[in-house]
Amino acid sequence: MGIIGTIFIGLIVGLLARFLKPGDDSMGWIMTIILGIAGSLVATYGGQALGIYQAGEGAGFLGALIGAIVLLVIYGLIKKK
């Protein structure tokens, strides 16, 4: 999958992560999408570099979703302080 595909998946993943992450999110939709794209990029290419999954596998989508949720949680913790 190319970089454009990863960014598009990141947009979808960012929105899904916002709905799946528990708690009140006071950040806007744009920040949610940006964190989703960042989580998707990190998880997709990180997972491939570590050999966890290959390009085009369904595990990459799950990895991107988990990466986006982790980034949303970290952002929420940093923003509270």
Side-chain angles (χ1 to χ4, degrees), residues 11-28:
L11 182 128
I12 295 169
V13 163
L15 295 174
L16 280 173
R18 181 172 182 140
F19 290 117
L20 293 176
K21 181 186 157 292
D24 183 31
D25 284 333
S26 60
M27 71 183 81

Side-chain angles (χ1 to χ4, degrees), residues 3-78:
I3 189 80
I4 301 297
T6 302
I7 289 172
F8 180 71
I9 294 296
L11 182 128
I12 295 169
V13 163
L15 295 174
L16 280 173
R18 181 172 182 140
F19 290 117
L20 293 176
K21 181 186 157 292
D24 183 31
D25 284 333
S26 60
M27 71 183 81
W29 289 98
I30 300 295
M31 192 61 180
T32 302
I33 291 170
I34 290 171
L35 289 174
I37 291 170
S40 176
L41 289 170
V42 169
T44 298
Y45 294 114
Q48 289 175 11
L50 293 173
I52 298 171
Y53 47 81
Q54 300 299 320
E57 290 184 6
F61 183 80
L62 292 175
L65 182 60
I66 292 169
I69 291 173
V70 167
L71 280 181
L72 286 172
V73 168
I74 291 171
Y75 179 80
L77 292 173
I78 290 172

